[in-house]
Amino acid sequence: MIKDATYLAGLIRNNEMSPIEALDEMYKKAKKHEKLNAFVELDINKAKKSLESSGQLLKNNPFYGVPFPLKDLGQNKQGFHQTMGSKLFKKNITNQTNHYVSRIEQAGFIPFGVTTAPEYGFKNVTDSELHGDTLNPLDLERYSGGSSGGAASVVASGISPIAGASDGGGSIRIPASFTGLIGMKPSRGKIVTGPDGYRDWQGASVNFILGVSIRDTKKMLRILKPNKQFSPFNQPKASLPVVNRPLRIAVCTTSPVGNQVSEEAILAVHNAATFLESLGHTVEVIDYPVDGLGLINSYYQMNGGETANMMNHISKKFDRELVKEDMELMTWTIYQYGKKLSAADYADSFNIWDQSAVIMEELFETYDLFLSPTATTIAPKVIDDLQSADIRNRMNHAEFQTKTELDRLIYEMFEKSLWITPYTQLANLTGQPAISLPTHMTEKENLPIGVQLMASKGNDSLLLEVGKWFEELHKLFIPDVYK
């Protein structure tokens, strides 16, 4: 039996553990793992007050009394910190609870602490200047990923079997790959945050969870789906999992941006494909289906435009012009890039997204699933330099560069990071669901690399059904503490 959030809820329901005992136990584990630097805020009294306010009203709900760490980005709980990893918001306390957290609480969860993220979620590692580096519990010399790095460290270390996470370009699936967790990015429209994040990154970003079981993931997808709340995106029609016929699975291990993929990542996909073939399904190797370079550049254009808009709002909030010292160098560069983009540039990004979405939906008329690595290699080391001195010098002078120069600088600024995680952005931009499963441990380092499965929009249940096959036949390498 897996000791996931469902298991913990069962202990509480059967009076084998009280919610207070669960909170105390989680707090004790968090203090034991302080070296991970995974929490922005860890105030057990706030969690206990939250439990007191819910009283017995939620006792019959599925996760009553289970502590739930929130992410320091887009998961607002009134009275809790939300710094977004930014020096500008170092002391920011949220004055309202958003829809995501409300639904978490309605399920019976007790918000517990706030986990780290890089500044504004821009990176695939968690290393904000405000909070410092968040470390990987499987190897303290490495990152746990980003932007949901704190959440991944909390779950992978055994502090909590579930944590709030979000994904705007792989920020759930990347840390899942680096720490041996199950990480899903649901279909666009499946989950709505609001009231201040209805259109996060124009639908590319979604709040969900990191966890250790398929059953928790499945339950959370049901719990968090919109009810009557407003959404700018249509709720995708659910498709039933196809279990009464062999599936056709497209497989690709080449990088969409042309860089080298490690032998271990290729082996991970090969072994996953072989396992699926052993169950009677058909596997076919294909070329990467979309223009990876064009798609990633459209992603950067969206990000630039959204960042410029965000900074305009922050400038009004503080009633002053923002300067370089207000933010990290990467954020400053994206901000300057966004100010140089035209409305036509911004709009063109979404034409590319839509074209890619059509290509992928056409692919899913032939195939049921698209299998690739989640990342090209294991988690990067904290000492790895992902930018050169020349790039940093140009970033320092980003405000003086032309739009064309910034086009190139933005790509080069992210290039080494992109080489590690070039696969995940596709699902964010096309709106289709994707899941990272921890199916492989490297021979030399004994560290995880996940495989990613994508399905047609709305077909999230198929990904969970396939994930269950891996889980039930013991093909997932989740952290030992949960076994």
Side-chain angles (χ1 to χ4, degrees), residues 380-409:
K381 290 187 174 183
V382 173
I383 61 170
D384 291 345
D385 193 350
L386 298 177
Q387 290 158 350
S388 68
D390 172 65
I391 290 172
R392 281 191 290 270
N393 180 57
R394 288 154 58 201
M395 291 163 66
N396 255 312
H397 299 88
E399 64 269 36
F400 303 114
Q401 298 190 41
T402 66
K403 189 263 180 186
T404 301
E405 290 170 332
L406 286 168
D407 277 333
R408 188 63 199 164
L409 176 57

Side-chain angles (χ1 to χ4, degrees), residues 57-90:
L57 296 175
L58 302 174
K59 197 164 186 180
N60 294 324
N61 290 29
F63 289 103
Y64 171 71
V66 177
F68 188 93
L70 301 172
K71 182 178 175 179
D72 188 33
L73 195 65
Q75 296 180 1
N76 300 345
K77 164 67 177 170
Q78 186 175 11
F80 281 55
H81 277 83
Q82 273 283 291
T83 73
M84 297 172 279
S86 167
K87 293 174 285 188
L88 280 171
F89 294 96
K90 181 178 181 178

Side-chain angles (χ1 to χ4, degrees), residues 5-71:
T6 298
Y7 171 84
L8 183 54
L11 294 181
I12 294 170
R13 189 178 305 110
N14 296 327
N15 296 316
E16 297 175 55
M17 175 184 280
S18 72
I20 291 292
E21 288 171 332
L23 282 168
D24 286 337
E25 181 68 18
M26 196 168 289
Y27 182 74
K28 184 167 66 176
K29 290 177 182 177
K31 297 301 286 184
K32 178 183 175 182
H33 290 288
E34 278 187 316
K35 60 189 174 184
L36 297 175
N37 191 35
F39 283 96
V40 169
E41 174 182 307
L42 186 60
D43 187 336
I44 193 167
N45 291 323
K46 282 186 182 179
K48 289 180 177 179
K49 286 178 181 177
S50 184
L51 176 62
E52 289 170 8
S53 67
S54 68
Q56 300 296 306
L57 296 175
L58 302 174
K59 197 164 186 180
N60 294 324
N61 290 29
F63 289 103
Y64 171 71
V66 177
F68 188 93
L70 301 172
K71 182 178 175 179

Side-chain angles (χ1 to χ4, degrees), residues 53 69 86 97 106 112 119 163 172 186 193 207 262 278 287-288 300 309 313 329 336 345 403 441 463 467:
S53 67
S86 167
T97 299
Q106 288 164 16
F112 172 82
E119 187 174 55
I172 289 175
T193 297
N207 282 291
S262 72
S278 75
D287 293 329
Y288 200 76
Y300 295 154
N309 179 56
H313 285 285
L329 195 53
Q336 299 311 305
D345 294 325
K403 189 263 180 186
M441 298 291 283
L463 297 181

